[in-house]
Amino acid sequence: MDKIFSEEQLNQALEANNTLFLLKHSTTCPISQNAFEQYEKFSKEENVPCYYLYVQEARPLSNYVAEQYNVKHESPQVLYFKQGNVEWNTSHFDITYEKLSGYLHE
């Protein structure tokens, strides 16, 4: 699980990986903390690239993702990228190991 800060880092990750997950995490929200823990477990148990950003530290990147990929900003939010496009996203209480793993193995 790798932390990213910039558009450049995101674009490099997208170029290097056919698929990846990205978590937009708020460091001040208890719901987001639970989502982060679920995402962390998922990243350790599944063989898929997982990235995250802290919304408070990387607001421009968070906004870029929302605008560039036409996905309404939420936090916490997980986005699944496939071939450079957002194929799926979920947020808040729906960010669980089971749901992430279930989506990955559909």
Side-chain angles (χ1 to χ4, degrees):
M1 197 162 92
D2 296 309
K3 185 176 179 182
I4 60 173
F5 300 91
S6 69
E7 291 176 29
E8 181 181 350
Q9 288 176 308
L10 174 62
N11 291 328
Q12 288 172 349
L14 290 168
E15 288 173 13
N17 300 285
N18 186 42
T19 62
L20 65 83
F21 283 86
L22 173 66
L23 170 68
K24 296 166 81 173
H25 172 54
S26 169
T27 58
T28 58
C29 171
I31 296 168
S32 195
Q33 181 58 40
N34 183 60
F36 187 87
E37 291 167 8
Q38 293 289 308
Y39 187 74
E40 189 171 40
K41 177 182 177 185
F42 171 76
S43 75
K44 289 178 180 176
E45 296 190 17
E46 298 291 347
N47 187 24
V48 62
C50 292
Y51 296 84
Y52 67 98
L53 65 87
Y54 290 153
V55 174
Q56 290 86 344
E57 295 175 1
R59 178 81 56 193
L61 175 57
S62 180
N63 291 340
Y64 169 79
V65 169
E67 293 167 12
Q68 179 71 22
Y69 298 98
N70 199 29
V71 178
K72 180 182 176 233
H73 167 75
E74 298 190 64
S75 179
Q77 182 177 39
V78 170
L79 301 104
Y80 176 69
F81 288 84
K82 185 172 183 179
Q83 299 177 343
N85 295 303
V86 174
E87 185 172 285
W88 175 82
N89 74 91
T90 192
S91 66
H92 294 85
F93 293 108
D94 288 330
I95 301 173
T96 65
Y97 170 81
E98 291 77 16
K99 288 193 179 182
L100 295 171
S101 183
Y103 180 77
L104 182 62
H105 297 291
E106 277 187 346

